[in-house]
PDB file of all heavy atoms in Angstrom:
ATOM      1  N   ASN Z  89      31.300  49.339 -34.528  1.00 95.00           N
ATOM      2  CA  ASN Z  89      32.419  49.678 -35.414  1.00 95.00           C
ATOM      3  C   ASN Z  89      32.230  49.059 -36.796  1.00 95.00           C
ATOM      4  O   ASN Z  89      32.497  49.698 -37.822  1.00 95.00           O
ATOM      5  CB  ASN Z  89      33.745  49.198 -34.808  1.00 95.00           C
ATOM      6  CG  ASN Z  89      34.118  49.965 -33.555  1.00 95.00           C
ATOM      7  OD1 ASN Z  89      33.651  51.093 -33.348  1.00 95.00           O
ATOM      8  ND2 ASN Z  89      34.932  49.378 -32.698  1.00 95.00           N
ATOM      9  N   SER Z  90      31.762  47.812 -36.817  1.00 92.00           N
ATOM     10  CA  SER Z  90      31.531  47.131 -38.087  1.00 92.00           C
ATOM     11  C   SER Z  90      30.433  47.819 -38.888  1.00 92.00           C
ATOM     12  O   SER Z  90      30.537  47.978 -40.110  1.00 92.00           O
ATOM     13  CB  SER Z  90      31.160  45.667 -37.835  1.00 92.00           C
ATOM     14  OG  SER Z  90      30.917  44.990 -39.048  1.00 92.00           O
ATOM     15  N   ILE Z  91      29.380  48.252 -38.211  1.00 93.00           N
ATOM     16  CA  ILE Z  91      28.268  48.926 -38.877  1.00 93.00           C
ATOM     17  C   ILE Z  91      28.724  50.242 -39.506  1.00 93.00           C
ATOM     18  O   ILE Z  91      28.425  50.529 -40.662  1.00 93.00           O
ATOM     19  CB  ILE Z  91      27.123  49.172 -37.876  1.00 93.00           C
ATOM     20  CG1 ILE Z  91      26.436  47.843 -37.535  1.00 93.00           C
ATOM     21  CG2 ILE Z  91      26.112  50.168 -38.432  1.00 93.00           C
ATOM     22  CD1 ILE Z  91      25.485  47.937 -36.365  1.00 93.00           C
ATOM     23  N   TYR Z  92      29.452  51.029 -38.745  1.00 93.00           N
ATOM     24  CA  TYR Z  92      29.908  52.316 -39.281  1.00 93.00           C
ATOM     25  C   TYR Z  92      30.924  52.130 -40.405  1.00 93.00           C
ATOM     26  O   TYR Z  92      31.007  52.954 -41.312  1.00 93.00           O
ATOM     27  CB  TYR Z  92      30.500  53.174 -38.156  1.00 93.00           C
ATOM     28  CG  TYR Z  92      29.447  53.954 -37.403  1.00 93.00           C
ATOM     29  CD1 TYR Z  92      28.893  53.462 -36.223  1.00 93.00           C
ATOM     30  CD2 TYR Z  92      28.993  55.179 -37.884  1.00 93.00           C
ATOM     31  CE1 TYR Z  92      27.918  54.171 -35.541  1.00 93.00           C
ATOM     32  CE2 TYR Z  92      28.016  55.895 -37.206  1.00 93.00           C
ATOM     33  CZ  TYR Z  92      27.480  55.385 -36.040  1.00 93.00           C
ATOM     34  OH  TYR Z  92      26.500  56.093 -35.368  1.00 93.00           O
ATOM     35  N   ALA Z  93      31.671  51.044 -40.363  1.00 90.00           N
ATOM     36  CA  ALA Z  93      32.687  50.820 -41.401  1.00 90.00           C
ATOM     37  C   ALA Z  93      32.089  50.249 -42.684  1.00 90.00           C
ATOM     38  O   ALA Z  93      32.575  50.544 -43.776  1.00 90.00           O
ATOM     39  CB  ALA Z  93      33.763  49.863 -40.867  1.00 90.00           C
ATOM     40  N   THR Z  94      31.040  49.431 -42.581  1.00 87.00           N
ATOM     41  CA  THR Z  94      30.545  48.715 -43.763  1.00 87.00           C
ATOM     42  C   THR Z  94      29.171  49.159 -44.247  1.00 87.00           C
ATOM     43  O   THR Z  94      28.811  48.882 -45.394  1.00 87.00           O
ATOM     44  CB  THR Z  94      30.465  47.198 -43.482  1.00 87.00           C
ATOM     45  OG1 THR Z  94      29.548  46.959 -42.389  1.00 87.00           O
ATOM     46  CG2 THR Z  94      31.826  46.647 -43.102  1.00 87.00           C
ATOM     47  N   ILE Z  95      28.394  49.864 -43.411  1.00 90.00           N
ATOM     48  CA  ILE Z  95      27.016  50.183 -43.795  1.00 90.00           C
ATOM     49  C   ILE Z  95      26.750  51.677 -43.919  1.00 90.00           C
ATOM     50  O   ILE Z  95      26.075  52.116 -44.858  1.00 90.00           O
ATOM     51  CB  ILE Z  95      26.032  49.547 -42.786  1.00 90.00           C
ATOM     52  CG1 ILE Z  95      26.100  48.023 -42.896  1.00 90.00           C
ATOM     53  CG2 ILE Z  95      24.608  50.031 -43.035  1.00 90.00           C
ATOM     54  CD1 ILE Z  95      25.204  47.284 -41.916  1.00 90.00           C
ATOM     55  N   ALA Z  96      27.260  52.454 -42.989  1.00 86.00           N
ATOM     56  CA  ALA Z  96      26.931  53.889 -42.947  1.00 86.00           C
ATOM     57  C   ALA Z  96      27.247  54.560 -44.285  1.00 86.00           C
ATOM     58  O   ALA Z  96      28.397  54.653 -44.694  1.00 86.00           O
ATOM     59  CB  ALA Z  96      27.702  54.559 -41.817  1.00 86.00           C
ATOM     60  N   GLY Z  97      26.196  55.024 -44.976  1.00 84.00           N
ATOM     61  CA  GLY Z  97      26.364  55.760 -46.225  1.00 84.00           C
ATOM     62  C   GLY Z  97      26.992  54.972 -47.354  1.00 84.00           C
ATOM     63  O   GLY Z  97      27.505  55.557 -48.316  1.00 84.00           O
ATOM     64  N   LYS Z  98      26.951  53.641 -47.297  1.00 85.00           N
ATOM     65  CA  LYS Z  98      27.615  52.809 -48.323  1.00 85.00           C
ATOM     66  C   LYS Z  98      26.655  52.349 -49.424  1.00 85.00           C
ATOM     67  O   LYS Z  98      27.052  51.616 -50.317  1.00 85.00           O
ATOM     68  CB  LYS Z  98      28.260  51.576 -47.664  1.00 85.00           C
ATOM     69  CG  LYS Z  98      29.343  51.901 -46.650  1.00 85.00           C
ATOM     70  CD  LYS Z  98      30.529  52.575 -47.297  1.00 85.00           C
ATOM     71  CE  LYS Z  98      31.734  52.647 -46.370  1.00 85.00           C
ATOM     72  NZ  LYS Z  98      31.521  53.424 -45.153  1.00 85.00           N
ATOM     73  N   GLY Z  99      25.401  52.742 -49.357  1.00 90.00           N
ATOM     74  CA  GLY Z  99      24.455  52.372 -50.400  1.00 90.00           C
ATOM     75  C   GLY Z  99      24.125  50.890 -50.434  1.00 90.00           C
ATOM     76  O   GLY Z  99      23.899  50.325 -51.513  1.00 90.00           O
ATOM     77  N   ILE Z 100      24.059  50.268 -49.279  1.00 93.00           N
ATOM     78  CA  ILE Z 100      23.783  48.832 -49.208  1.00 93.00           C
ATOM     79  C   ILE Z 100      22.269  48.597 -49.184  1.00 93.00           C
ATOM     80  O   ILE Z 100      21.529  49.340 -48.546  1.00 93.00           O
ATOM     81  CB  ILE Z 100      24.437  48.211 -47.959  1.00 93.00           C
ATOM     82  CG1 ILE Z 100      25.961  48.257 -48.095  1.00 93.00           C
ATOM     83  CG2 ILE Z 100      23.977  46.783 -47.731  1.00 93.00           C
ATOM     84  CD1 ILE Z 100      26.710  47.758 -46.877  1.00 93.00           C
ATOM     85  N   ARG Z 101      21.841  47.549 -49.885  1.00 95.00           N
ATOM     86  CA  ARG Z 101      20.443  47.136 -49.874  1.00 95.00           C
ATOM     87  C   ARG Z 101      20.338  45.771 -49.208  1.00 95.00           C
ATOM     88  O   ARG Z 101      21.100  44.860 -49.521  1.00 95.00           O
ATOM     89  CB  ARG Z 101      19.889  47.051 -51.304  1.00 95.00           C
ATOM     90  CG  ARG Z 101      20.037  48.331 -52.117  1.00 95.00           C
ATOM     91  CD  ARG Z 101      19.196  49.457 -51.563  1.00 95.00           C
ATOM     92  NE  ARG Z 101      17.768  49.127 -51.571  1.00 95.00           N
ATOM     93  CZ  ARG Z 101      16.821  49.915 -51.062  1.00 95.00           C
ATOM     94  NH1 ARG Z 101      17.145  51.050 -50.467  1.00 95.00           N
ATOM     95  NH2 ARG Z 101      15.556  49.555 -51.120  1.00 95.00           N
TER      96      ARG Z 101
END
Side-chain angles (χ1 to χ4, degrees):
N89 292 338
S90 179
I91 288 169
Y92 275 95
T94 61
I95 293 178
K98 298 295 192 298
I100 293 176
R101 305 294 299 176

